[in-house]
Amino acid sequence: MSGGDHLDFEIRPNPAPVAAAERAALIANPGFGRIFTDHMVTIRWADGKGWYDARVEARAPIPMDPASAVLHYAQEIFEGLKAYPCDDGGVTMFRPDANARRFQESATRMAMPHLPEELFIGSLHEIIKADRGWLPTDAEGSLYLRPFMFANEVFLGVRPALEYLYVLIASPVGPYFSGGIKPVTVWVSDVYTRAAPGGTGAAKCGGNYAASLSAHAEAIEHGCDQVIYLDAVERKYIDELGGMNVFFVFDDGSITTPPLTGTILPGITRDSLITLARDAGADVREEPYSLAQWREDAASGRLREAFACGTAAVVTPIGRVRSVEGEIVMGDGGSGAVTMKLRQQLVDIQRGRAEDPHGWVHRVS
Ligand SMILES: *Cc1c(COP(=O)(O)O)cnc(C)c1O
């Protein structure tokens, strides 16, 4: 794609930031995705011009023409990662280079331009610098970073747009589960699928989430917290949750997770947990696992634990699985001894409390 990899960010500080006392009150109980910082980063792209106008500016509504392409054909991708406060007063991020690469892969699938890794990481540094005061200081808090890009060309024809806007916003977040970690009950839809071969399952695009909302409503109607999707071809194999990857832990200590065949999102948490489990000597298989096998292995006791993982919630034990064929109750009831140990290991690395043998922690300040 055209445009150099280097752009300087023009800094336009918010002239009316939230007052310190109000900010402190907001950060004390942030919830998830409700509160936003004073700034945003924007970068523009146009065909023939490349990336230009990189800015840190006051977070504000984005004026949009009603014929902006994204509003009609959903050419949009996003990322999600966290900045962590360290005990020594510094700030870190976890594997932001992996998010930068995935953002490019999502862009490829949606026929969008690649944001150079240097600009992606640079934008993360800029917002953390501008909104340093919004980082929660408690042991479980973090600053959730949400980079996204969409087609903002004013045109109703169907083709890749010739203009895009990259935006980065930040949101202080507390622990994802305010009442402590509870095992979730997941619903296997016999109506909906998430992604088919050749589709957009491996791209982090808003459209995948839009398509998941009816399935999610169906899950809620059945008393479940989340949807777990089966593969779209045979309707037999576990793919993933609407926004999290899944793992199965067996009585011999081995672990299975569905392979990256293009229909599931290649989670960075997933990749990190596979690495940590292998470091600890566990046999980790990336291979298809069917719902029928899940039922059989849970009944025989061979399957001990199941969990879902992603940046927002890190790791969540799965306690029960419901479908039209009845319920599977996990042998351990979702208490997840191996699950919780893996979770702790990952969180300790992310927060700089444990050694980082793979160089995953990226120091910001
Ligand atoms: C973002 C996402 C995940 C988790 O990815 P992480 O990099 O671990 O946060 C899993 N599934 C879907 C569908 C996602 O969008």
Side-chain angles (χ1 to χ4, degrees):
M1 294 290 160
S2 53
D5 281 17
H6 186 79
L7 273 185
D8 286 323
F9 288 87
E10 182 196 338
I11 317 286
R12 299 182 177 177
N14 187 333
V18 173
E22 191 187 336
R23 189 178 67 212
L26 288 168
I27 295 174
N29 183 19
F32 191 89
R34 284 191 297 113
I35 291 163
F36 300 96
T37 62
D38 292 315
H39 295 90
M40 63 182 183
V41 178
T42 56
I43 315 178
R44 289 167 193 279
W45 186 92
D47 185 50
K49 190 167 175 182
W51 294 99
Y52 67 101
D53 274 6
R55 262 183 215 152
V56 180
E57 58 194 315
R59 201 185 74 86
I62 301 168
M64 234 205 261
D65 190 281
S68 279
V70 67
L71 298 178
H72 304 273
Y73 311 124
Q75 215 188 347
E76 187 267 356
I77 57 171
F78 67 96
E79 270 302 326
L81 70 161
K82 289 172 172 171
Y84 304 91
C86 307
D87 293 340
D88 66 4
V91 182
T92 61
M93 293 188 282
F94 186 71
R95 305 185 70 181
D97 51 313
N99 294 92
R101 284 194 296 275
R102 190 170 65 188
F103 199 58
Q104 294 188 344
E105 281 153 22
S106 298
T108 298
R109 179 63 185 87
M110 305 304 281
M112 298 166 87
H114 280 189
L115 182 69
E117 184 169 328
E118 185 200 319
L119 273 179
F120 183 91
I121 306 242
S123 72
L124 302 171
H125 278 250
E126 291 296 337
I127 203 153
I128 292 168
K129 221 189 300 168
D131 288 326
R132 181 73 182 78
W134 286 90
L135 234 91
T137 48
D138 63 286
E140 296 224 55
S142 56
L143 189 64
Y144 184 77
L145 305 168
R146 169 52 62 88
F148 60 103
M149 170 168 50
F150 59 89
N152 69 342
E153 183 188 359
V154 178
F155 181 57
L156 292 184
V158 180
R159 57 146 171 74
L162 301 177
E163 290 168 38
Y164 296 87
L165 182 62
Y166 167 81
V167 188
L168 167 62
I169 54 174
S171 172
V173 297
Y176 194 78
F177 301 101
S178 46
I181 298 160
K182 287 190 217 79
V184 291
T185 299
V186 293
W187 171 249
V188 186
S189 179
D190 59 321
V191 179
Y192 301 105
T193 58
R194 179 181 171 275
T200 58
K204 211 165 173 74
C205 62
N208 287 343
Y209 281 77
S212 76
L213 299 175
S214 308
H216 187 76
E218 192 193 39
I220 302 293
E221 273 169 36
H222 287 89
C224 299
D225 307 295
Q226 296 277 338
V227 185
I228 191 160
Y229 291 95
L230 296 178
D231 78 281
V233 177
E234 297 191 59
R235 303 267 189 135
K236 261 168 60 180
Y237 298 100
I238 302 297
D239 261 357
E240 64 169 320
L241 268 64
M244 296 174 94
N245 297 120
V246 284
F247 282 76
F248 303 93
V249 182
F250 298 89
D251 58 357
D252 62 357
S254 69
I255 294 174
T256 290
T257 191
L260 302 178
T261 55
T263 59
I264 69 173
L265 201 286
I268 295 160
T269 316
R270 173 189 180 279
D271 183 75
S272 307
L273 292 172
I274 290 174
T275 303
L276 289 180
R278 285 186 180 149
D279 285 353
D283 172 22
V284 183
R285 296 173 293 263
E286 293 180 71
E287 62 184 36
Y289 190 69
S290 69
L291 180 61
Q293 193 70 47
W294 190 344
R295 183 171 292 110
E296 194 181 310
D297 290 343
S300 74
R302 192 171 93 85
L303 178 65
R304 295 302 305 156
E305 305 173 24
F307 65 86
C309 67
T311 295
V314 192
V315 165
T316 308
I318 298 173
R320 291 160 187 270
V321 189
R322 281 189 200 143
S323 70
V324 287
E325 287 161 36
E327 187 167 84
I328 303 171
V329 181
M330 295 303 298
D332 73 331
S335 58
V338 175
T339 299
M340 295 312 283
K341 198 170 147 219
L342 269 172
R343 179 184 212 279
Q344 196 58 48
Q345 259 184 294
L346 181 60
V347 168
D348 285 346
I349 295 174
Q350 288 174 332
R351 295 192 175 267
R353 297 181 200 128
E355 231 191 293
D356 173 28
H358 300 282
W360 287 336
V361 173
H362 177 108
R363 191 100 198 171
V364 179
S365 66

